Amino acid sequence: MFVPISSRLMSALCALALLAGTVPAVRAADAAPTAHVTILATGGTIAGSGATSTTTVGYTAATVGVDRLIQAVPELAKVAQVKGEQVFQIASENMTNEHWLTLAKRVNTLLAQPDVDGIVITHGTDTLEETAFFLDMVVKSNKPVVLVGAMRPGTALSADGPINLYNAVLLAASKEAIGKGVLVTLNDQIQGARDVTKTNTSTLDSFKTPELGMLGYIQGNKPYFYHVSTRKHTVDTEFDISKLDSLPQVDIVYGYANVGPVALNALVAAGAKGIIHAGVGDGSLASKVAPSLTAARKQGVLIVRSARVGQGIVARNGEANDDALDFVVSDTLNPQKARILLMLALTKTSDSKEIQRMFYTY
Ligand code: SIN
């Protein structure tokens, strides 16, 4: 038989249970989160707006400020004590080496503070993988750094920015993300900075690590990790950008049928200190381009053979005699990430053997 309990009796029972230590004084779900996460906003579609709710292309990126991004997701307050800083407000195709240096210095300064537990960086998706890898090489902390973007502007039906931002803050506030290197999250997935790439112009599942695999998922307000990269990152790299205001000029030349040496020669004449050759197949060199690459190397320009296919190891001494030509191979780094590693390598040395070691280390 159901016997109603008066509210006074219920209070008395609860007080007794509290005294007996069987009920926590504050339920975990009600407690203020203890982790402090700073959101550094740089622009992109996650801060973009369109003319109508069905505008998912042809919108304007980088229009909404960090305060509005945070206000739009009140649930953030449940997972971390959040502060926001507007570092830039740009579409990410305009990201420069100087932006990266400014951003990395700010990240390192914040992470050195005891009252910052993690950083989230909101970013356009077009060059997000590059910024993530740059930070992976130069951030000097084990604390979580998470890059996040969105494939749809905030004004769109089913905008992905709010849930992606929530997941990013959750991840940056988590113990699980400590020491994993710089992370990227969109679409409930956790990707590693070294190997993730944007694979689709517009779909929500654009960010992938096709062959080496993503690191994990975020589900039910919790990150789950399954893989980590064996490559060194963050506190284990030899790169220090704290005193740098610029990076050596490194450019990419693309391989394709009927290619000639015009672009390559122009870049070398414009002062490139390094060239990433995004060759066809296993980084093959067309016979019309190879003499210019050889000549550039003899002038002191560092040459890295990478591959436009985006997956797989570029074999040293495979499609070219790298030992004889004094070239470097990119290992599995795609051309845009090979450019970053070569720029950082050139801040330390111009010895091609040392630089090859770095490409096999990071
Ligand atoms: C950008 O990269 O800034 C624009 C595209 C995007 O964020 O998805």
Side-chain angles (χ1 to χ4, degrees):
M1 193 177 86
F2 174 71
V3 181
I5 303 176
S6 74
S7 61
R8 193 178 290 180
L9 179 58
M10 182 59 102
S11 307
L13 286 172
C14 284
L16 276 174
L18 260 179
L19 280 173
T22 54
V23 176
V26 180
R27 283 181 301 144
D30 297 336
T34 52
H36 292 74
V37 171
T38 301
I39 299 177
L40 300 180
T42 72
T45 294
I46 194 167
S49 51
T52 71
S53 62
T54 53
T55 305
T56 55
V57 292
Y59 55 85
T60 312
T63 59
V64 176
V66 66
D67 292 341
R68 271 181 60 205
L69 290 183
I70 293 172
Q71 281 159 17
V73 192
E75 294 82 357
L76 295 180
K78 290 189 185 160
V79 290
Q81 301 197 30
V82 171
K83 281 189 195 157
E85 283 182 29
Q86 193 73 47
V87 189
F88 322 118
Q89 186 64 297
I90 60 172
S92 77
E93 64 264 31
N94 297 320
M95 197 60 71
T96 63
N97 296 347
E98 289 69 34
H99 286 118
W100 283 342
L101 290 168
T102 303
L103 182 63
K105 287 175 190 172
R106 187 68 191 133
V107 169
N108 279 331
T109 300
L110 285 167
L111 291 181
Q113 295 175 197
D115 61 347
V116 177
D117 298 302
I119 301 271
V120 166
I121 298 168
T122 61
H123 199 290
T125 60
D126 291 347
T127 60
L128 188 150
E129 71 191 66
E130 295 175 53
T131 302
F133 183 58
F134 181 74
L135 294 173
D136 201 43
M137 292 295 100
V138 303
V139 165
K140 293 297 156 206
S141 174
N142 272 323
K143 294 179 185 175
V145 175
V146 181
L147 276 88
V148 63
M151 295 300 293
R152 293 180 181 155
T155 45
L157 281 175
S158 298
D160 54 332
I163 184 65
N164 288 349
L165 183 61
Y166 175 77
N167 281 342
V169 171
L170 182 91
L171 190 57
S174 74
K175 298 268 180 292
E176 290 88 339
I178 294 171
K180 300 276 194 328
V182 172
L183 302 172
V184 171
T185 185
L186 287 91
N187 204 35
D188 296 343
Q189 295 171 336
I190 307 168
Q191 313 274 356
R194 182 186 187 276
D195 300 317
V196 67
T197 193
K198 183 173 180 176
T199 65
N200 188 288
T201 56
S202 49
T203 59
L204 300 190
D205 63 347
S206 178
F207 278 77
K208 290 192 167 50
T209 307
E211 291 192 338
L212 297 177
M214 64 177 168
L215 306 189
Y217 300 101
I218 300 172
Q219 193 187 66
N221 300 303
K222 196 171 154 40
Y224 293 86
F225 280 88
Y226 298 90
H227 299 132
V228 284
S229 174
T230 57
R231 293 307 176 98
K232 292 187 175 182
H233 55 72
T234 57
V235 293
D236 293 324
T237 77
E238 58 211 273
F239 307 120
D240 175 9
I241 50 87
S242 60
K243 298 192 177 58
L244 297 180
D245 295 319
S246 64
L247 293 168
Q249 184 189 334
V250 174
D251 292 297
I252 301 172
V253 295
Y254 205 76
Y256 49 93
N258 202 47
V259 66
V262 176
L264 168 62
N265 290 342
L267 290 168
V268 171
K273 302 287 181 286
I275 293 287
I276 306 299
H277 182 262
V280 296
D282 189 6
S284 300
L285 309 178
S287 54
K288 286 189 197 154
V289 174
S292 292
L293 283 173
T294 308
R297 180 68 199 113
K298 287 196 173 128
Q299 284 172 42
V301 179
L302 257 293
I303 308 296
V304 174
R305 283 197 308 114
S306 184
R308 71 174 200 180
V309 294
Q311 307 297 319
I313 302 168
V314 175
R316 187 166 176 88
N317 296 320
E319 289 294 332
N321 189 339
D322 299 296
D323 288 349
L325 294 166
D326 199 24
F327 290 173
V328 171
V329 288
S330 68
D331 189 28
T332 61
L333 285 183
N334 68 24
Q336 56 271 32
K337 291 186 187 176
R339 188 184 87 88
I340 290 165
L341 187 52
L342 183 55
M343 288 192 298
L344 290 170
L346 286 168
T347 67
K348 303 284 290 183
T349 181
S350 54
D351 182 308
S352 63
K353 290 191 179 54
E354 262 296 279
I355 293 176
Q356 184 66 78
R357 175 192 62 76
M358 293 175 189
F359 272 85
Y360 284 138
T361 303
Y362 301 113

